[in-house]
Amino acid sequence: MNLSDYPYLKKFGKNVVIFIITMFVLSIIVFVMARLAPGDPLQAFYGDALDTMSIEEMDAARIRLGLDGPIYYQYVKWLLLALGGDFGLSLQYKMPAMDVIAPLIGNTIILGLTAYILVFALAIVLAVICAKHEDTLLDKVICKIGTMSYFIPAFWLGLVLILIFSVNLNWFQSSGAYDYGQAGNIANRIWHMILPLTVMIFSHIWYYAYMIRNKLLDENRKDYVLLAKIKGLTKSEILWKHSLRNIAPTIVNLMAISIPHVLGGTVIAEAVFNYPGIGNMAISAAKYHDYNLLMLLVLITGSLVIITSMCAYMINEVIDPRMKDAGGTIWEK
């Protein structure tokens, strides 16, 4: 079979190879950095009992936990097990790393995906409003507020919201994803997510709204907009039906590159509000030198970023057929 006769299959193959290589390099970097970090992972596993162990017992424990030998030997042993689906034992929780993470993935997906959708939905609406009222008082006020919001630290805003709405007013919970026994209660989950979502939206919305606004303003200065005005279309109709559609590939690209930013915002929100998700777990794993848990978390988040970038490029090809002529992979653009 000649792959040149199947360009889409060839492109998909290239992206798969690059994905594998990228994940391989990422795993090496994280593995080495984690091993070189100060601290003893045995402390996370044995706690205070480590002080009573002899040197021989410590050496035996390192062998059992895969912490013996040089770094490259440890990595190869970990890689072989990981390829078979065994990501090792969590040193902190003393159970398989995947079992520790599995209950938390859903919480992070719910929080992160909800914030992601709301950020871009509101950013588009905000951008259209500003573009429609360009250089008016409304546009200037929104721009000023947006600029100020961008420079407010997310963790500080989270603490202020906890102080006001949890401590003083007692309107919302300051921690957790739901009340005990209410995991399936959607209303209860939403109640717990209001403050974290507020922080994430407030911290990200203007950054993307401002870029979409500027693209819309550039689009509004093109000849077809003048023709549309002559035909009697209102400014709102031009913005929503024509300008916004023409910059759709830009918005998709923006949504793709925003994945790491929103993911980082999720980590901060989970830490501030003690939300039980993989972001909060990653901080705990790094703190306690839980190597296996940290490696699995990095691989999950890393693969998410890469896969979403691939999906964004493929969606762009559908939206803008001109991109098909360029060929290659998303890393060759």
Side-chain angles (χ1 to χ4, degrees):
M1 182 178 69
N2 189 355
L3 289 179
S4 60
D5 297 331
Y6 302 92
Y8 289 105
L9 183 60
K10 181 180 179 181
K11 186 184 298 184
F12 177 77
K14 286 183 178 180
N15 286 334
V16 170
V17 171
I18 292 177
F19 172 78
I20 294 173
I21 294 174
T22 304
M23 295 303 297
F24 176 67
V25 173
L26 178 65
S27 68
I28 292 176
I29 293 173
V30 176
F31 192 93
V32 173
M33 290 180 64
R35 291 306 196 269
L36 296 179
D40 190 352
L42 288 183
Q43 187 70 47
F45 191 85
Y46 290 101
D48 295 336
L50 184 66
D51 298 332
T52 62
M53 295 175 63
S54 65
I55 296 178
E56 291 77 13
E57 289 173 331
M58 289 183 184
D59 291 338
R62 293 183 191 280
I63 294 174
R64 288 197 303 271
L65 297 175
L67 301 172
D68 59 311
I71 292 180
Y72 68 85
Y73 172 76
Q74 294 181 37
Y75 175 77
V76 171
K77 186 160 62 172
W78 173 87
L79 180 62
L80 293 175
L81 290 173
L83 291 174
D86 182 4
F87 293 94
L89 194 70
S90 168
L91 303 180
Q92 183 182 358
Y93 296 94
K94 301 175 181 60
M95 58 188 295
M98 183 58 78
D99 292 346
V100 175
I101 296 175
L104 306 178
I105 293 177
N107 292 338
T108 296
I109 290 176
I110 292 172
L111 178 63
L113 186 60
T114 304
Y116 184 76
I117 293 172
L118 289 176
V119 162
F120 276 96
L122 295 175
I124 291 173
V125 172
L126 202 60
V128 171
I129 293 174
C130 290
K132 180 181 177 181
H133 302 279
E134 181 185 5
D135 289 334
T136 64
L137 179 61
L138 178 61
D139 180 36
K140 292 177 180 178
V141 169
I142 293 176
C143 289
K144 290 293 183 182
I145 295 175
T147 302
M148 289 188 294
S149 70
Y150 180 72
F151 291 101
I152 296 178
F155 70 90
W156 180 84
L157 178 60
L159 294 176
V160 170
L161 292 180
I162 290 174
L163 178 63
I164 296 174
F165 294 102
S166 296
V167 177
N168 294 334
L169 298 177
N170 196 29
W171 287 359
F172 304 107
Q173 290 287 352
S174 61
S175 63
Y178 47 82
D179 290 336
Y180 181 76
Q182 298 293 317
N185 189 328
I186 297 177
N188 190 264
R189 279 185 174 272
I190 293 174
W191 183 51
H192 278 265
M193 287 197 302
I194 288 177
L195 293 185
L197 283 175
T198 301
V199 171
M200 295 176 67
I201 292 172
F202 195 79
S203 301
H204 293 88
I205 185 172
W206 181 245
Y207 178 79
Y208 303 113
Y210 183 73
M211 286 192 277
I212 297 173
R213 169 189 178 272
N214 289 344
K215 290 296 295 183
L216 283 173
L217 293 179
D218 291 340
E219 199 70 20
N220 285 345
R221 293 178 175 87
K222 293 184 177 179
D223 294 338
Y224 78 87
V225 173
L226 179 60
L227 180 61
K229 289 179 180 178
I230 294 173
K231 290 182 177 181
L233 271 69
T234 64
K235 199 167 185 178
S236 295
E237 289 175 330
I238 295 172
L239 283 169
W240 286 106
K241 295 181 180 180
H242 299 282
S243 300
L244 200 60
R245 184 179 62 185
N246 288 340
I247 68 167
T250 300
I251 296 176
V252 172
N253 275 329
L254 195 59
M255 293 179 70
I257 64 175
S258 72
I259 294 292
H261 300 160
V262 177
L263 193 60
T266 305
V267 173
I268 295 174
E270 289 184 357
V272 173
F273 294 95
N274 195 25
Y275 186 90
I278 61 175
N280 201 13
M281 182 60 66
I283 296 175
S284 176
K287 178 181 178 182
Y288 291 99
H289 302 90
D290 197 339
Y291 295 153
N292 294 328
L293 192 57
L294 184 62
M295 286 293 297
L296 181 55
L297 287 166
V298 170
L299 291 178
I300 290 175
T301 54
S303 61
L304 174 64
V305 171
I306 297 171
I307 291 173
T308 51
S309 297
M310 290 179 173
C311 292
Y313 182 75
M314 290 186 290
I315 293 172
N316 268 338
E317 285 191 339
V318 175
I319 297 175
D320 188 357
R322 293 172 297 179
M323 297 186 66
K324 295 180 181 179
D325 300 329
T329 65
I330 60 174
W331 285 269
E332 297 170 343
K333 302 300 173 189

